[in-house]
Amino acid sequence: MRLLPRFFTTLTITSLLLAAGAPLGAKTIKFPKDDPGIIFDVPDDWTIEQKSDSTVLLCKSASGIAIVVFLALPGVSSIDELKSSLKEWAKSTSEEMADVSMSEVTAGKTGPGMPLSLLSVKAKQDGEEMICVFAGFSPAKGKYFAVSCIAPPAAYKDGGEATGFDAVLDSVKAIK
């Protein structure tokens, strides 16, 4: 009966490969709730708060150090408008901060290959350095979204709570 050990070996390898593709301890979110356009994963210990306006979703890391905000942008109709919206969001977020330094909008991709527009802001809030990362994407023609993460620099280092933001961005997929 050599088939049985071979079956279990194949089953184990398949299970390990499937598990490697899915984050451990993650919640899958469809956004916006009323008319989902994207699906993504957040770490299991993050809190999720759907704002009364269904176009805003607030996610917080376990300790609240990293704050992630998702926005649906129904008024945006092009990539250029998306980039402008990112800049405006970054400016309004950093208005109350000091020593603000904003990057230019650059291009990137999510894990599944969806194009991203990225922008970062370094600033001080109440004397503490903060890094704000803004990303915008269009999973389908006519649907535009933006997401940001605000956290102190240490939270973005290996093992820091904001490193979960990279995993969130990498998991964003279009709902078809």
Side-chain angles (χ1 to χ4, degrees):
M1 289 280 158
R2 292 179 59 90
L3 275 145
L4 198 54
R6 198 175 287 163
F7 168 76
F8 284 116
T9 301
T10 303
L11 181 64
T12 302
I13 290 170
T14 303
S15 298
L16 290 171
L17 288 172
L18 289 173
L24 293 175
K27 297 183 235 185
T28 300
I29 308 293
K30 290 181 180 180
F31 179 74
K33 190 166 76 173
D34 299 337
D35 181 22
I38 56 172
I39 188 167
F40 57 92
D41 298 321
V42 296
D44 219 13
D45 59 353
W46 284 24
T47 59
I48 310 296
E49 181 183 341
Q50 177 71 57
K51 294 299 188 178
S52 58
D53 174 357
S54 68
T55 62
V56 179
L57 184 73
L58 179 65
C59 310
K60 291 182 186 175
S61 63
S63 70
I65 288 175
I67 298 172
V68 176
V69 179
F70 274 87
L71 297 177
L73 303 170
V76 172
S77 61
S78 71
I79 294 297
D80 287 338
E81 285 182 20
L82 177 63
K83 290 176 181 177
S84 280
S85 294
L86 286 179
K87 288 178 185 177
E88 288 304 313
W89 191 17
K91 284 179 188 172
S92 67
T93 299
S94 60
E95 274 180 356
E96 303 293 320
M97 297 179 172
D99 301 331
V100 176
S101 167
M102 189 180 308
S103 74
E104 291 298 317
V105 177
T106 60
K109 289 190 178 208
T110 66
M114 186 186 319
L116 290 174
S117 296
L118 298 164
L119 171 74
S120 65
V121 173
K122 291 181 181 178
K124 288 187 178 176
Q125 184 175 20
D126 300 325
E128 184 179 5
E129 278 191 48
M130 300 296 277
I131 297 176
C132 311
V133 178
F134 299 86
F137 47 90
S138 178
K141 186 174 179 147
K143 292 199 175 208
Y144 295 88
F145 297 89
V147 59
S148 75
C149 181
I150 301 171
Y156 287 95
K157 294 189 173 151
D158 288 342
E161 289 192 42
T163 57
F165 179 63
D166 287 340
V168 170
L169 263 185
D170 280 345
S171 73
V172 174
K173 295 178 224 140
I175 293 179
K176 298 178 185 198

